[in-house]
Amino acid sequence: MLQVNDQRIREFLGKRGNTWLHLLDPRVKIIWLGLMFATGFMLLDNLLALFGLFLYIILLAGLAGVIRKQIAMIKVVLPLFVMVVLFNIFLLPMVKGWEQRVLFQLPFNYPWHTLFPQRFSPSPVVITRESLYMGITRGMVLLTFSGAASLFILLIEVTELIEGMTLLKIPYPLALTCGLAIVYIPILFSDLSTIAEAQKARGHRLDKGGSISRLKASVSLLLPAINCAYVRASNIADSMNSRAFGAKAKRTLLLVREMRQADWAFLVLNSAVLGAGILINLFGGMGMSIRF
Amino acid sequence: MNRAIIRIQNLKFAYPRAREPVLRGINLEIPEGELVIVTGANGSGKTTLGKCMNGLIPYSTGGVFEGKVEVCGIHTFEKDVSELALYVGFVFGNPEDQLATPRVETEIAFGLCNLAVPRETILEKTEAIFHRLGIERLKGRSTFELSTGEQQMVAIASILVMEPTILILDDPLSHLNQNTCQKVIEVVRGLNGAGTTIIWISQNISEMFEFADRIVLLDNGEIGFNGPPRAMAEEMDFKGLPVIVPQHIELSQELVKAGFSREVIEPSLRGSIQKLNELTETMEPVNLSTPRPEARGSLEVHPEPRSFIPPSKAELRAVERVNDTGKAISSKPDSTREPMIQFDHVTFSYPDGFTALKDISLEFHEGDFVLVSGWNGSGKTTLAKHLNGLLRPTEGRMVIGGQDISDRPTSDLARGIGFLFQNPDHQLHRPTVRDELAFSLINFGVDTRTVTEKISTCAESFQLKHLLDRSPQELSGSEKKRVTVASVLIYDPAIVIFDEPTANLDQIQAKNIIDIIERYFDDTKVVLCISHDIRLWVESRRLNRVVIMKDGRVFKQGDPENIFCDPTIMEFLYGSVLPITQIAQSLSGKGVRPRHYRASTLAEEITRPRKRSHHAAGQ
């Protein structure tokens, strides 16, 4: 974690392209993210439809010319993806009252019997058709959501995010808090990186020992980083108060934006995608729909 | 006298959970339209007093508040901070910590938007402020990508645009280069001329000394002095003050001590030069090789005028390079030996493609005490981080003690190379000061008994004994700095790099740290100090080399005298040569050596026995 280069994060958050997707109204970008998440929830159990949604998001990233950056961001969640898939594959067969077809039986038992012999009887680890399907589907959900979120981050500037949220009538303090949280991610990483350097310069080896001691060493560095972040947050609050933040119930909105035809068209297209998701959810449609 | 726009009566304040109050009964009246410098040591209560004036204290901090603060006729207790913002603008010291929005235009307009000023008016006012500060080039940029100096300009603009009646600036120049400093001073003076009351909080009183109407010196939460600059210069001994004072006043005070008339004290540098020239009008050239008198400031008159013969460099070096006991130390490191550190055509680029170092070739030998300076972003810290492997050259190689260190991990190199980071909060992470001191020793596998012994010795010499069981986070800024310096020097590395060792310290604390570094240094070590302000180092007697960086390259290097007195370098860094050099140059026709950079040595030369006019004689 501490090896993350804050320059890279700055690069991700700082520079923006100039494609028609980048130029969309920030409100449309925010609504688009909401539509993609809503569609994803509609398709939670439908692998094929989810895969289609994922491809659609990748296609948009391609059109925006940010596909490499997006893949790099999705890679961050890969360990979580593996965990979700394995968790579903190996644990869902234990759900009682759900008829499942066993595909493989592995030559060892679940550990529950050894841990709680009174409660569990020995049973072999199995992979069922249903658990395999659900494992991959839940993994796909994660990839789709992270794909949508990463494309959103790559398309929107922090200023646009605050403006967009304000134009959507979200309270300004909340919008500003969201924006500042993103702005200060690279600074937090920069602090962490400097703190790690300061300890290495005093002979501390962050890569020494097993994973537990390495994790412990890294966590100890979080304390000064949190301290720095706290000081910075309180300074920003003082600076904002000193500039009349909260003096009037309704503040002036500096930027005035008009929705263009392209914005409306994109909104309609993506509303249609959600509509399709709702229909698939209601009528089964493609893929294998499973209900608990 | 104008009516008082700020009235403070018996103000006492203590932060929550603080052991002692920061302000201890302040009584102060500031008339409308004055330019006031509030100064004092670290922890004397300068910023706290400023925050009391705009209502941030006690609203945002809590704490124990007694007394009364009234600004523009409003009791600060009666209004919220955001309402007081209409009258009082506050520019904070660290620009990075005060930017609330990610785009320059929205940042500058932030206050006006909060006050619900009509959009068209906001656009007009922001446009005007861009022009007034000369920062049109920043339009459309993200505040996130700006340099620290640019961020500070945006922060100042965001307050000025609100047109407050009182403007408080807390150390506003500390992150700016000289050109930008001049611009800010010009704007602030313009505002003051137009009637705005200015409260200039700074440890460097030389920035505004000649323009100020009044100086308020805080001493441990109480007012130590309150009056005009001239009175301060006449009444107080600047040498013992914990603040950075104008060099020409230091010189004048030295001269007064040596018997010159008080007339020599002039608040402005120009006035000082003029007065000194008048007072030394009939001073004759003197031969510097004449033996020095025992007592400084003697006014005995020589019967014969002497011709001016400049001393050789070797003579000067022998004078300058003396150790603590006054004994001369070796004049120059032995450069015929193998260098201890070698930058061999080092180029370094960051992952985003920015090339921070460009083909650097430098050698440092045992006995080198080096100051590396230059503007922000010139590559100073990047250069230093190559020494212990925190950064690796993109091209070229780094050689330490004759070995290429390209594949040596930082943790291994750390045994022989100490590195002090600028911000102590980045370094201190152990529960107690004792653990902090032990940290490096334990990392290097030193046995427990030796660790205990070393901590004891170190705590003694760094005056940390009473702090050993305290948490580093509870300490004051200067105490934290002392702990970090001690935690590096405790393992006696042969090469030590200090990144801005005097940052955020007052003048006395900075001198203490420089003194600690100088005492540590000897002819077997290499000490590299990185500092953006070389003026802090003019008094150093150990410094023997200065390297000036510019845009990732070595701009100039040489011995301190050659660098401090070089007009090209000083104009590049500060817009003009040092005040002392300017005075020495103006007196060069009278036999004064023109290459001076210390007030003490120039005063010594001026007061050396020579024929002088009666004007100069003591009263």
Side-chain angles (χ1 to χ4, degrees), chain A residues 5 7-8 10-11 13-15 157-160 162-163 172 176 180 183-184 186-187 191 194-195 197-205 220-221 224 227-228 231-232 235-236 238-248 250-256, chain B residues 51 54 56 60 81-82 85 90 92 96-103 105-107 109-111 113-117 119 122-123 144-145 158-159 162 351-352 385 388 390 410-411 414 417 419 421 425-429 436 439-440 443-444 473 487 491:
Chain A
N5 188 315
Q7 291 285 342
R8 292 244 166 92
R10 279 172 195 271
E11 201 183 320
L13 295 174
K15 291 174 188 167
E157 281 186 32
V158 182
T159 317
E160 285 186 318
I162 298 169
E163 281 167 20
Y172 184 73
L176 189 62
L180 283 177
V183 165
Y184 283 95
I187 294 173
D191 279 345
T194 313
I195 291 162
E197 281 182 347
Q199 307 320 323
K200 277 198 267 180
R202 291 198 292 165
H204 189 37
R205 293 195 62 170
S220 75
L221 304 185
N227 184 40
C228 290
V231 171
R232 184 167 288 128
N235 288 344
I236 292 170
D238 279 353
S239 153
M240 285 164 58
N241 283 330
S242 302
R243 286 184 287 164
F245 188 63
K248 306 277 176 186
K250 196 174 178 187
R251 68 192 300 278
T252 308
L253 201 60
L254 197 60
L255 295 161
V256 177
Chain B
K51 286 184 176 178
N54 84 331
L56 271 172
S60 79
V81 184
S82 54
F90 198 115
F92 290 80
E96 208 178 50
D97 288 4
Q98 60 186 313
L99 301 178
T101 73
R103 193 181 288 173
E105 285 90 336
T106 51
E107 184 64 31
F110 185 78
C113 289
N114 291 334
L115 293 169
V117 173
R119 186 174 168 273
I122 294 178
L123 293 175
F144 199 47
E145 295 167 351
S158 74
I159 297 295
M162 295 170 75
D352 63 355
K385 283 185 175 177
N388 66 348
L390 284 173
T410 301
S411 43
I417 304 165
F419 196 120
F421 279 68
D425 287 332
H426 286 153
Q427 200 165 316
L428 302 171
H429 70 297
E436 207 57 64
F439 185 71
S440 321
N443 288 334
F444 299 135
Q473 305 307 329
S487 76
Y491 61 89

Side-chain angles (χ1 to χ4, degrees), chain B residues 191-216:
Chain B
L191 283 169
N192 184 235
T196 307
T197 307
I198 307 288
I199 310 292
W200 185 275
I201 300 172
S202 177
Q203 272 181 14
N204 185 350
I205 60 171
S206 67
E207 294 160 346
M208 278 290 192
F209 194 78
E210 61 181 291
F211 311 121
D213 297 302
R214 175 197 299 264
I215 297 180
V216 175

Side-chain angles (χ1 to χ4, degrees), chain A residues 16 24 36-37 39 43 69 78 97 101 103 173-174 180 186 191 196 252 256 261 272 274 277:
Chain A
R16 291 287 173 267
L24 285 172
M36 289 302 102
F37 272 68
T39 312
L43 304 173
K69 283 184 178 181
L78 277 182
R101 193 195 306 167
L103 290 178
L174 182 61
L180 283 177
D191 279 345
T252 308
V256 177
Q261 277 188 343
L274 174 63

